Amino acid sequence: MIIAAGAMGASVRSFAQEAVAAAPVPPVATTEVPAVVPALTAPSADYGVPRGGWDLQLPATDIAVEAHNMINWVLNPLMAGVAMFVMILLAWTIFRYRAAANPVPSKTSHNTVIEVIWTVAPALILVVIAFPSFRLLANQYDPPKADITIKAIGHQWYWEYEYPDQGGFTFDSVMLTSDEAAARGTPRLLDVDNRVVVPVGATVKVLTTAADVIHSFAMPAFYMKMDAVPGRINETWFKTDRPGVYFGQCSELCGAKHSNMPIAIEVLPKAQFDAWVAAKQKENGIEPAPAAQSAAAPIAAATPAASPVAQ
């Protein structure tokens, strides 16, 4: 009896499933939303790219200018002076106290004056370095009030970005192939399909974290480097008044394709940034705030007629 009831129930379910499968499915109309492409600023020959020389990249933020000056006018002269002094002292010691000039070796084992000098002199050098270092650290880790916040999430091996102040839309940023970079006219292994876009003159807070292993968000032209650690949020910031595109990379050895994690930040005028945000919100189905709607210009005004590589 129970078996017969079970068989009957199974046959009813089978009939119902066949009826559903045979029922016509009405077509669903979908609208393809094109990917939002900002101005795709061409890279500068001087700013934001490796210049192939021995010097640092030219600074593009006030913090970077301060660090650049400290390196060039404090650290490098001190290191060069110490190195030259030690080499001269070593050469003089080798010549002055060679065996031919001193058949009877000296038995001196203690010299108070020399010991005081080699203790006090390095301490004074460290004091000279300390004052600009502390000022630079204070300026770097005591940022002004942020105008915009961006969350950078490291993955093996690409970056994901979130704009929480603009509705929380996200996008992945993957390195371009060599052919794609050549077609766009940008440096090989440094440009990406989706760049970070920020307004010029804005204080940008960058929150870093990771989904798998430790990465590091580094932008040399901004003098900015912050580890992205799984399960933790770290914070850094930058502000630049120079429009353009700037390239950086993950600077933490994060696995086999560590070199495939470039960072590209495009700094645009405020109107173009607002237009890009409005289009991104539309692409992701986010209702923009009334103020943002009135301020945003059409994305077509910020987008070229044709781009070599879709962003």
Side-chain angles (χ1 to χ4, degrees), residues 279-299:
K280 271 292 186 184
Q281 290 173 334
K282 181 178 180 181
E283 177 186 331
N284 289 271
I286 298 171
E287 187 68 25
Q293 286 181 332
S294 61
I299 190 65

Side-chain angles (χ1 to χ4, degrees), residues 52-241:
W54 55 269
D55 199 2
L56 301 171
Q57 288 191 24
L58 293 179
T61 66
D62 291 341
I63 294 293
V65 169
E66 185 178 353
H68 202 266
N69 290 336
M70 178 181 172
I71 292 170
N72 285 339
W73 304 111
V74 179
L75 295 181
N76 285 345
L78 280 173
M79 289 190 294
V82 170
M84 291 174 61
F85 173 76
V86 171
M87 290 299 295
I88 293 172
L89 185 61
L90 181 62
W92 179 79
T93 303
I94 292 173
F95 176 79
R96 173 65 180 80
Y97 297 103
R98 67 191 188 279
N102 298 273
V104 180
S106 172
K107 302 295 185 181
T108 303
S109 61
H110 185 76
N111 189 306
T112 303
V113 175
I114 292 178
E115 290 178 359
V116 170
I117 292 175
W118 73 38
T119 302
V120 173
L124 292 177
I125 292 174
L126 293 178
V127 170
V128 171
I129 296 174
F131 283 102
S133 297
F134 291 158
R135 184 178 61 247
L136 177 60
L137 286 173
N139 294 337
Q140 186 177 5
Y141 292 103
D142 186 20
K145 186 178 184 298
D147 299 313
I148 179 175
T149 300
I150 296 173
K151 186 176 181 181
I153 306 166
H155 297 264
Q156 288 181 311
W157 287 271
Y158 63 95
W159 291 97
E160 176 189 356
Y161 298 103
E162 178 182 347
Y163 283 68
D165 298 339
Q166 284 70 35
F169 63 82
T170 65
F171 57 88
D172 294 339
S173 182
V174 181
M175 184 183 73
L176 297 181
T177 65
S178 298
D179 293 339
E180 291 170 336
R184 188 182 281 187
T186 53
R188 177 176 172 269
L189 302 179
L190 285 179
D191 204 1
V192 295
D193 56 354
N194 292 302
R195 297 173 177 172
V196 177
V197 181
V198 299
V200 65
T203 299
V204 182
K205 179 196 294 185
V206 181
L207 305 177
T208 64
T209 187
D212 33 51
V213 300
I214 298 177
H215 302 275
S216 188
F217 193 85
M219 183 62 60
F222 297 165
Y223 197 75
M224 178 179 65
K225 180 179 181 295
M226 182 57 66
D227 283 350
V229 183
R232 177 173 177 173
I233 299 291
N234 289 330
E235 178 182 332
T236 185
W237 71 284
F238 67 90
K239 176 183 177 181
T240 179
D241 296 322

